[in-house]
Amino acid sequence: MKFLFDLFPVIVFFATYYLAGGQKGSCVVTPDLPITQEPILLATGAAILATVIQVGWLVLRKKKVGGMLWVGFAVIAIFGGATLYFRNPSFIQWKPTILYWTFAIVLLLSPFLLGRSLVRTMMERQISAPDKVWGWLNAAWVIFFAFMGVANLVAVSQLSCNAWVNFKFYGFTALLFLFAVGQALFLSRYVEEKP
């Protein structure tokens, strides 16, 4: 459920883009058309709204809004807002790279700033592992997020708008899922669950 909750804005973006007829056109925005008639702009607005709903849902239920969600909220608000304001899809296409690289930098710096890896800080209550395993996991996430940022830049420069939207939804989701499964398999060799 958490995986689906985290992907909620991406799912809303993808669904809105296709329901608005995005697969029939391109990311070129006509200056005189309203936002509601531009699939990429409409999808961007829907993704911003979905992220606001995510944060609002957690706040109303008095649940903790994680740091990663706050970062995601800030990035979608800034880059999605710029996309809508300037009517330029390039900003929303850059958003995944900025988000992934921000995560990579935060994870890379966390051992120096917090004295321990952020991955360890987030997962240590559920599982117990040796120090070196936490270091490996943190490094693996840094490399993964750096790779995802580069992959997005390549996709933006090489693919059509529709192909990029598909890659963003199917490709990134599949890569994230496979990486998470690989991480779980890796952890199962070293980790004993706490009672």
Side-chain angles (χ1 to χ4, degrees):
M1 285 302 291
K2 180 161 183 354
F3 186 71
L4 287 175
F5 182 78
D6 291 344
L7 286 177
F8 178 63
V10 175
I11 294 167
V12 168
F13 177 89
F14 181 79
T16 304
Y17 179 78
Y18 276 94
L19 290 173
Q23 70 280 9
K24 298 173 189 163
S26 68
C27 280
V28 177
V29 175
T30 308
D32 56 341
L33 281 178
I35 287 175
T36 55
Q37 292 180 15
E38 296 285 1
I40 194 74
L41 299 181
L42 188 59
T44 299
I48 294 170
L49 181 60
T51 308
V52 169
I53 290 169
Q54 260 185 327
V55 171
W57 173 258
L58 291 173
V59 169
L60 287 174
R61 297 189 67 216
K62 297 187 177 163
K63 302 272 185 181
K64 183 177 186 264
V65 180
M68 296 294 200
L69 182 54
W70 282 120
V71 170
F73 176 72
V75 171
I76 188 70
I78 292 167
F79 283 84
T83 296
L84 297 177
Y85 182 79
F86 295 109
R87 298 178 66 88
N88 183 346
S90 298
F91 292 105
I92 199 65
Q93 289 180 307
W94 269 77
K95 181 227 135 210
T97 294
I98 300 302
L99 185 64
Y100 292 136
W101 285 354
T102 300
F103 288 163
I105 291 167
V106 168
L107 289 169
L108 182 66
L109 296 178
S110 67
F112 306 105
L113 299 175
L114 302 174
R116 62 192 319 172
S117 75
L118 192 57
V119 172
R120 182 177 193 164
T121 302
M122 291 187 303
M123 298 177 66
E124 193 172 39
R125 288 186 179 176
Q126 290 82 23
I127 52 180
S128 176
D131 289 343
K132 67 179 181 178
V133 172
W134 291 118
W136 291 341
L137 283 173
N138 201 65
W141 278 103
V142 169
I143 292 166
F144 176 72
F145 282 133
F147 166 78
M148 293 283 276
V150 171
N152 183 64
L153 289 180
V154 171
V156 167
S157 68
Q158 299 298 315
L159 301 176
S160 69
C161 184
N162 293 326
W164 173 77
V165 170
N166 284 325
F167 179 72
K168 181 179 184 296
F169 185 71
Y170 295 114
F172 284 164
T173 303
L175 288 171
L176 187 59
F177 180 75
L178 289 173
F179 185 77
V181 168
Q183 176 188 350
L185 293 173
F186 174 77
L187 283 172
S188 68
R189 294 171 29 199
Y190 295 97
V191 176
E192 293 179 14
E193 291 195 17
K194 292 183 175 179

Coordinates of all heavy atoms in Angstrom, one line a residue, residues 22-88:
G22 N -3.4 12.9 -24.5 CA -2.0 13.1 -24.7 C -1.3 12.2 -25.7 O -0.4 12.6 -26.4
Q23 N -1.8 11.0 -25.8 CA -1.1 10.0 -26.7 C -1.3 10.4 -28.2 O -0.7 9.9 -29.0 CB -1.6 8.6 -26.5 CG -3.1 8.3 -26.8 CD -4.1 8.8 -25.8 OE1 -3.8 9.5 -24.9 NE2 -5.4 8.4 -26.1
K24 N -2.3 11.3 -28.4 CA -2.6 11.8 -29.8 C -1.7 13.0 -30.2 O -1.7 13.3 -31.4 CB -4.0 12.2 -29.9 CG -5.0 11.0 -29.7 CD -6.4 11.5 -29.6 CE -7.3 10.4 -29.1 NZ -8.6 10.9 -28.7
G25 N -1.1 13.6 -29.3 CA -0.3 14.8 -29.6 C 1.1 14.8 -29.2 O 1.7 13.7 -29.1
S26 N 1.7 15.9 -28.9 CA 3.1 16.0 -28.4 C 3.1 16.9 -27.2 O 2.1 17.4 -26.8 CB 3.9 16.6 -29.6 OG 3.6 17.9 -29.8
C27 N 4.3 17.2 -26.7 CA 4.5 18.0 -25.6 C 4.5 19.5 -26.0 O 4.8 20.4 -25.2 CB 5.7 17.7 -24.8 SG 5.5 16.3 -23.7
V28 N 4.4 19.8 -27.3 CA 4.4 21.2 -27.7 C 3.1 21.8 -27.3 O 2.0 21.3 -27.5 CB 4.5 21.3 -29.3 CG1 4.5 22.7 -29.7 CG2 5.8 20.6 -29.7
V29 N 3.2 22.9 -26.6 CA 2.1 23.6 -26.0 C 1.7 24.8 -26.9 O 2.6 25.6 -27.3 CB 2.4 24.1 -24.6 CG1 1.3 24.9 -24.0 CG2 2.7 22.8 -23.7
T30 N 0.4 24.9 -27.2 CA -0.1 26.0 -28.0 C -0.3 27.2 -27.0 O -1.1 27.0 -26.1 CB -1.4 25.7 -28.8 OG1 -1.1 24.4 -29.5 CG2 -1.8 26.7 -29.7
P31 N 0.2 28.4 -27.3 CA 0.1 29.5 -26.3 C -1.3 29.9 -26.1 O -1.6 30.3 -25.0 CB 0.9 30.6 -27.0 CG 1.8 30.0 -28.0 CD 1.1 28.7 -28.4
D32 N -2.2 29.8 -27.1 CA -3.6 30.4 -26.9 C -4.6 29.4 -26.3 O -5.7 29.7 -26.1 CB -4.1 31.0 -28.2 CG -4.0 30.1 -29.3 OD1 -3.3 29.0 -29.3 OD2 -4.7 30.3 -30.3
L33 N -4.2 28.1 -26.2 CA -5.2 27.1 -25.7 C -5.2 27.1 -24.2 O -4.1 27.3 -23.5 CB -4.8 25.7 -26.1 CG -5.1 25.3 -27.6 CD1 -4.6 23.9 -27.8 CD2 -6.6 25.4 -27.8
P34 N -6.3 26.9 -23.6 CA -6.4 26.9 -22.1 C -5.7 25.6 -21.6 O -5.5 24.6 -22.3 CB -7.9 26.8 -21.8 CG -8.6 26.5 -23.0 CD -7.7 26.8 -24.2
I35 N -5.2 25.7 -20.4 CA -4.5 24.5 -19.8 C -5.3 23.2 -19.8 O -4.7 22.2 -20.1 CB -4.1 24.9 -18.3 CG1 -3.0 25.9 -18.3 CG2 -3.7 23.6 -17.5 CD1 -2.6 26.4 -16.9
T36 N -6.6 23.3 -19.7 CA -7.4 22.1 -19.7 C -7.4 21.4 -21.1 O -7.8 20.3 -21.2 CB -8.9 22.5 -19.3 OG1 -9.4 23.5 -20.2 CG2 -9.0 22.9 -17.9
Q37 N -7.0 22.1 -22.1 CA -6.9 21.5 -23.5 C -5.5 21.1 -23.8 O -5.2 20.6 -24.9 CB -7.5 22.4 -24.5 CG -9.0 22.6 -24.3 CD -9.5 23.6 -25.4 OE1 -8.9 23.9 -26.4 NE2 -10.7 24.0 -25.2
E38 N -4.5 21.2 -22.9 CA -3.2 20.8 -23.1 C -2.9 19.6 -22.2 O -2.7 19.8 -21.0 CB -2.2 21.9 -22.8 CG -2.3 23.1 -23.8 CD -1.8 22.9 -25.2 OE1 -1.3 21.8 -25.4 OE2 -1.8 23.8 -26.0
P39 N -2.9 18.4 -22.7 CA -2.7 17.2 -21.9 C -1.5 17.2 -20.9 O -1.7 16.9 -19.7 CB -2.6 16.1 -22.8 CG -3.3 16.5 -24.1 CD -3.0 18.0 -24.1
I40 N -0.4 17.7 -21.4 CA 0.8 17.7 -20.5 C 0.7 18.7 -19.4 O 1.1 18.5 -18.2 CB 2.1 17.9 -21.3 CG1 3.4 17.6 -20.5 CG2 2.2 19.3 -21.9 CD1 3.6 16.2 -20.3
L41 N 0.0 19.8 -19.7 CA -0.2 20.9 -18.6 C -1.3 20.4 -17.7 O -1.2 20.6 -16.4 CB -0.6 22.2 -19.2 CG 0.5 22.8 -20.2 CD1 0.0 24.2 -20.7 CD2 1.8 23.0 -19.5
L42 N -2.3 19.8 -18.2 CA -3.4 19.3 -17.3 C -2.9 18.2 -16.4 O -3.2 18.2 -15.2 CB -4.6 18.8 -18.2 CG -5.8 18.4 -17.4 CD1 -6.4 19.6 -16.7 CD2 -6.9 17.8 -18.4
A43 N -2.1 17.3 -16.9 CA -1.5 16.2 -16.1 C -0.5 16.8 -15.1 O -0.5 16.3 -13.9 CB -0.7 15.3 -17.0
T44 N 0.2 17.8 -15.4 CA 1.1 18.5 -14.4 C 0.3 19.0 -13.3 O 0.6 18.8 -12.1 CB 1.9 19.5 -15.1 OG1 2.7 18.9 -16.1 CG2 2.8 20.2 -14.1
G45 N -0.8 19.8 -13.6 CA -1.6 20.3 -12.6 C -2.3 19.2 -11.7 O -2.3 19.4 -10.5
A46 N -2.7 18.1 -12.3 CA -3.2 17.0 -11.6 C -2.2 16.4 -10.6 O -2.5 16.0 -9.5 CB -3.8 16.0 -12.5
A47 N -1.0 16.3 -11.1 CA 0.1 15.7 -10.2 C 0.4 16.6 -9.0 O 0.6 16.1 -7.9 CB 1.4 15.5 -11.1
I48 N 0.4 17.9 -9.3 CA 0.6 18.9 -8.1 C -0.6 18.7 -7.1 O -0.4 18.6 -5.9 CB 0.6 20.3 -8.6 CG1 1.9 20.6 -9.5 CG2 0.6 21.3 -7.5 CD1 1.9 21.9 -10.2
L49 N -1.8 18.7 -7.6 CA -3.0 18.5 -6.8 C -2.9 17.1 -6.0 O -3.2 17.1 -4.8 CB -4.3 18.5 -7.6 CG -5.6 18.4 -6.8 CD1 -5.7 19.5 -5.7 CD2 -6.8 18.4 -7.8
A50 N -2.5 16.1 -6.7 CA -2.3 14.8 -6.1 C -1.3 14.8 -4.9 O -1.5 14.2 -3.9 CB -2.0 13.7 -7.1
T51 N -0.2 15.5 -5.1 CA 0.8 15.6 -4.1 C 0.3 16.4 -2.9 O 0.5 16.1 -1.7 CB 2.1 16.3 -4.6 OG1 2.5 15.5 -5.8 CG2 3.2 16.2 -3.6
V52 N -0.5 17.5 -3.2 CA -1.1 18.3 -2.1 C -2.1 17.4 -1.3 O -2.1 17.4 -0.1 CB -1.9 19.5 -2.7 CG1 -2.7 20.2 -1.6 CG2 -0.9 20.5 -3.2
I53 N -2.9 16.6 -2.0 CA -3.8 15.6 -1.4 C -3.0 14.6 -0.5 O -3.4 14.3 0.6 CB -4.7 14.9 -2.4 CG1 -5.7 15.9 -3.0 CG2 -5.4 13.7 -1.8 CD1 -6.4 15.4 -4.2
Q54 N -1.9 14.1 -1.0 CA -1.1 13.2 -0.2 C -0.7 13.8 1.1 O -0.8 13.2 2.2 CB 0.2 12.8 -1.0 CG 0.2 11.5 -1.7 CD 1.5 11.3 -2.3 OE1 2.3 12.2 -2.8 NE2 1.9 10.0 -2.4
V55 N -0.1 15.0 1.0 CA 0.4 15.6 2.2 C -0.8 16.0 3.1 O -0.7 15.7 4.4 CB 1.2 16.9 1.9 CG1 1.6 17.7 3.1 CG2 2.5 16.5 1.1
G56 N -1.8 16.5 2.6 CA -3.0 16.9 3.4 C -3.6 15.7 4.1 O -4.0 15.8 5.2
W57 N -3.7 14.5 3.4 CA -4.2 13.3 4.0 C -3.4 12.9 5.2 O -4.0 12.6 6.2 CB -4.2 12.2 2.9 CG -4.6 10.8 3.4 CD1 -3.7 9.8 3.7 CD2 -5.9 10.3 3.7 NE1 -4.4 8.7 4.2 CE2 -5.7 9.0 4.1 CE3 -7.1 10.9 3.6 CZ2 -6.8 8.2 4.5 CZ3 -8.2 10.1 3.9 CH2 -8.1 8.8 4.4
L58 N -2.1 12.9 5.1 CA -1.3 12.6 6.2 C -1.4 13.6 7.4 O -1.5 13.2 8.6 CB 0.2 12.5 5.8 CG 0.5 11.3 4.9 CD1 2.0 11.4 4.4 CD2 0.3 10.0 5.6
V59 N -1.5 14.9 7.1 CA -1.6 15.9 8.1 C -3.0 15.8 8.8 O -3.0 15.8 10.0 CB -1.4 17.3 7.5 CG1 -1.9 18.4 8.5 CG2 0.0 17.5 7.0
L60 N -4.0 15.6 8.0 CA -5.4 15.4 8.6 C -5.5 14.2 9.5 O -6.2 14.2 10.5 CB -6.4 15.4 7.6 CG -6.7 16.7 6.9 CD1 -7.7 16.5 5.7 CD2 -7.3 17.7 7.9
R61 N -4.7 13.1 9.2 CA -4.8 11.9 10.0 C -3.7 11.9 11.1 O -3.5 10.9 11.8 CB -4.5 10.7 9.1 CG -5.7 10.6 8.0 CD -5.6 9.3 7.3 NE -5.9 8.2 8.2 CZ -5.3 7.0 8.1 NH1 -4.4 6.8 7.1 NH2 -5.6 6.0 8.9
K62 N -3.0 13.1 11.2 CA -2.0 13.3 12.2 C -0.9 12.3 12.1 O -0.4 11.8 13.1 CB -2.6 13.3 13.6 CG -3.6 14.4 13.8 CD -4.1 14.5 15.2 CE -4.9 15.7 15.2 NZ -5.8 16.2 15.9
K63 N -0.6 11.9 10.9 CA 0.6 11.0 10.6 C 1.8 11.9 10.2 O 1.6 13.0 9.8 CB 0.2 10.1 9.4 CG -1.0 9.3 9.6 CD -0.6 8.0 10.3 CE -1.9 7.1 10.4 NZ -1.6 5.9 11.1
K64 N 3.0 11.3 10.4 CA 4.2 12.0 10.1 C 4.3 12.1 8.5 O 4.2 11.1 7.8 CB 5.4 11.3 10.6 CG 6.7 12.0 10.4 CD 7.8 11.3 11.1 CE 9.1 12.1 11.0 NZ 9.9 11.7 9.9
V65 N 4.6 13.3 8.0 CA 4.9 13.5 6.6 C 6.4 13.4 6.5 O 7.2 14.2 7.0 CB 4.5 14.9 6.1 CG1 4.8 15.1 4.7 CG2 3.0 15.1 6.4
G66 N 6.9 12.3 5.8 CA 8.3 12.0 5.7 C 9.1 13.1 5.0 O 8.5 13.8 4.1
G67 N 10.4 13.1 5.2 CA 11.2 14.1 4.6 C 11.2 13.9 3.1 O 11.2 14.9 2.3
M68 N 11.2 12.7 2.6 CA 11.2 12.5 1.1 C 10.0 13.0 0.5 O 10.0 13.5 -0.6 CB 11.4 11.0 0.8 CG 12.7 10.4 1.3 SD 14.1 11.1 0.4 CE 15.3 9.9 0.7
L69 N 8.8 12.9 1.2 CA 7.6 13.4 0.6 C 7.6 14.9 0.6 O 7.1 15.5 -0.4 CB 6.4 12.9 1.4 CG 5.0 13.3 0.9 CD1 4.8 12.9 -0.5 CD2 3.9 12.7 1.8
W70 N 8.2 15.5 1.6 CA 8.3 17.0 1.6 C 9.2 17.5 0.5 O 8.9 18.4 -0.2 CB 8.9 17.5 2.9 CG 7.9 17.6 4.0 CD1 7.9 17.0 5.3 CD2 6.6 18.4 4.1 NE1 6.8 17.3 6.0 CE2 6.0 18.1 5.3 CE3 6.0 19.2 3.2 CZ2 4.8 18.7 5.7 CZ3 4.8 19.8 3.5 CH2 4.2 19.6 4.8
V71 N 10.3 16.7 0.2 CA 11.2 17.1 -0.9 C 10.4 16.9 -2.2 O 10.5 17.8 -3.1 CB 12.4 16.2 -0.9 CG1 13.2 16.3 -2.2 CG2 13.3 16.5 0.3
G72 N 9.7 15.8 -2.4 CA 8.9 15.5 -3.6 C 7.8 16.6 -3.8 O 7.6 17.1 -4.9
F73 N 7.2 17.0 -2.7 CA 6.2 18.1 -2.7 C 6.8 19.4 -3.2 O 6.3 20.1 -4.1 CB 5.6 18.3 -1.4 CG 4.6 19.4 -1.3 CD1 3.4 19.3 -1.9 CD2 4.9 20.6 -0.6 CE1 2.4 20.3 -1.8 CE2 4.0 21.6 -0.5 CZ 2.8 21.5 -1.1
A74 N 8.0 19.8 -2.7 CA 8.7 21.0 -3.1 C 9.1 20.9 -4.5 O 8.9 21.9 -5.3 CB 9.9 21.2 -2.2
V75 N 9.6 19.8 -5.0 CA 10.1 19.7 -6.4 C 8.9 19.8 -7.3 O 9.0 20.5 -8.4 CB 10.9 18.4 -6.6 CG1 11.3 18.2 -8.0 CG2 12.2 18.5 -5.8
I76 N 7.8 19.1 -7.1 CA 6.7 19.1 -8.0 C 6.0 20.5 -7.9 O 5.6 21.0 -9.0 CB 5.6 18.0 -7.7 CG1 4.5 18.0 -8.8 CG2 4.9 18.2 -6.3 CD1 4.9 17.5 -10.1
A77 N 6.0 21.1 -6.8 CA 5.4 22.5 -6.7 C 6.3 23.5 -7.5 O 5.7 24.3 -8.3 CB 5.3 23.0 -5.3
I78 N 7.6 23.4 -7.4 CA 8.5 24.3 -8.1 C 8.5 24.0 -9.6 O 8.2 24.9 -10.5 CB 9.9 24.3 -7.6 CG1 9.9 24.9 -6.1 CG2 10.9 25.1 -8.5 CD1 11.1 24.6 -5.4
F79 N 8.8 22.8 -10.0 CA 8.9 22.5 -11.4 C 7.6 22.3 -12.1 O 7.4 22.7 -13.3 CB 9.8 21.2 -11.6 CG 11.3 21.5 -11.4 CD1 11.8 21.5 -10.1 CD2 12.1 21.8 -12.5 CE1 13.1 21.8 -9.9 CE2 13.4 22.1 -12.3 CZ 13.9 22.1 -11.0
G80 N 6.6 21.8 -11.4 CA 5.3 21.7 -12.0 C 4.7 23.1 -12.1 O 4.1 23.5 -13.1
G81 N 4.9 23.9 -11.1 CA 4.4 25.3 -11.2 C 5.1 26.1 -12.3 O 4.4 26.9 -13.0
A82 N 6.4 25.9 -12.5 CA 7.1 26.5 -13.6 C 6.5 26.1 -15.0 O 6.4 26.8 -15.9 CB 8.6 26.3 -13.5
T83 N 6.2 24.8 -15.0 CA 5.6 24.2 -16.3 C 4.3 24.9 -16.6 O 4.1 25.3 -17.7 CB 5.4 22.7 -16.1 OG1 6.6 22.1 -16.0 CG2 4.7 22.1 -17.3
L84 N 3.5 25.1 -15.6 CA 2.2 25.7 -15.8 C 2.3 27.2 -16.1 O 1.7 27.8 -17.0 CB 1.3 25.5 -14.6 CG 0.9 24.1 -14.3 CD1 0.0 24.0 -13.1 CD2 0.2 23.4 -15.5
Y85 N 3.2 27.9 -15.3 CA 3.4 29.3 -15.4 C 4.0 29.7 -16.8 O 3.5 30.6 -17.5 CB 4.2 29.9 -14.3 CG 4.4 31.4 -14.4 CD1 3.4 32.2 -13.9 CD2 5.5 32.0 -14.9 CE1 3.5 33.6 -13.9 CE2 5.7 33.3 -14.9 CZ 4.7 34.2 -14.5 OH 4.8 35.5 -14.5
F86 N 5.0 29.0 -17.2 CA 5.7 29.3 -18.5 C 5.1 28.5 -19.6 O 5.6 28.7 -20.8 CB 7.2 29.1 -18.3 CG 7.9 30.0 -17.4 CD1 8.4 29.5 -16.2 CD2 8.1 31.3 -17.6 CE1 9.0 30.3 -15.3 CE2 8.7 32.1 -16.7 CZ 9.2 31.6 -15.5
R87 N 4.2 27.6 -19.3 CA 3.6 26.7 -20.4 C 4.7 26.0 -21.2 O 4.7 25.9 -22.4 CB 2.7 27.6 -21.3 CG 1.5 28.2 -20.6 CD 0.7 29.0 -21.5 NE 0.0 28.3 -22.5 CZ -1.2 27.7 -22.4 NH1 -1.8 27.8 -21.2 NH2 -1.7 27.0 -23.3
N88 N 5.7 25.5 -20.4 CA 6.8 24.8 -21.0 C 7.0 23.5 -20.3 O 7.4 23.4 -19.1 CB 8.1 25.7 -20.8 CG 9.3 25.1 -21.4 OD1 9.3 23.9 -21.8 ND2 10.3 25.9 -21.5

